[in-house]
Amino acid sequence: LSLYSSPAHETKYVENPQTQLEEGVSRLRHVMEPYTAWWTELIDSSKVKVDSSLCSDFFSEGCEFLQNPPAGFYPRLGVIGFAGIVGLFLARGSRIKKLVYPAGLMGIGASVYYPQQAVSIAKVAGTQLYDWSLQGYIAVESLWKDN
């Protein structure tokens, strides 16, 4: 290309023909258009009702907390969530590991940031676990005596 001459302006736009997949998707979109319009209207009309009722009645404290969180809340939440993701990567193999590792690592991360709440939860869980084990022991003992 020369810097001093301009190219001829005889260009012509040619549109690529549609493939069968593109035609099928286009037909599907045209067929589904009334249903998607109905669905979006339904969602839009119910969204206002759900937002107002949830934030006003049941979750007003939670909504307010998330709108005005204490300092350092989101970084703590990120560390706890990252601990759960690390637990998923470490839990290769069985399904039980995939349940225990993320929950355990997230529990450890949460107990580092919230030690008082972790102690109270551990006390309640310990008494509950003791009660369940005692009920199981009594049930096994009664089965043993019956036989």
Side-chain angles (χ1 to χ4, degrees):
L1 292 175
S2 173
L3 294 175
Y4 301 107
S5 67
S6 61
H9 293 290
E10 296 179 18
T11 58
K12 186 174 153 183
Y13 176 73
V14 178
E15 189 171 324
N16 292 333
Q18 284 188 336
T19 63
Q20 287 182 340
L21 178 64
E22 290 173 337
E23 289 177 9
V25 170
S26 176
R27 274 188 256 125
L28 181 65
R29 283 183 178 172
H30 287 297
V31 168
M32 296 302 290
E33 188 174 8
Y35 301 109
T36 56
W38 171 78
W39 186 254
T40 53
E41 286 179 22
L42 181 70
I43 295 294
D44 290 340
S45 66
S46 65
K47 193 177 207 181
V48 175
K49 295 175 187 174
V50 169
D51 286 343
S52 64
S53 67
L54 286 179
C55 285
S56 65
D57 296 341
F58 301 110
F59 302 111
S60 62
E61 291 178 12
C63 289
E64 183 179 324
F65 181 79
L66 290 176
Q67 288 173 352
N68 302 317
F73 174 72
Y74 288 121
R76 290 177 181 179
L77 186 66
V79 168
I80 294 168
F82 183 72
I85 292 171
V86 168
L88 279 175
F89 283 119
L90 293 176
R92 293 186 181 151
S94 74
R95 292 181 181 166
I96 294 174
K97 283 184 184 178
K98 289 182 181 179
L99 291 174
V100 172
Y101 282 19
L105 288 177
M106 288 175 68
I108 290 169
S111 66
V112 167
Y113 286 117
Y114 305 104
Q116 293 173 342
Q117 290 86 350
V119 168
S120 65
I121 289 172
K123 286 180 182 177
V124 170
T127 57
Q128 198 72 333
L129 187 63
Y130 177 75
D131 290 341
W132 288 341
S133 64
L134 192 61
Q135 289 173 1
Y137 177 76
I138 291 169
V140 168
E141 187 181 29
S142 68
L143 286 173
W144 186 268
K145 286 183 180 178
D146 288 346
N147 290 335

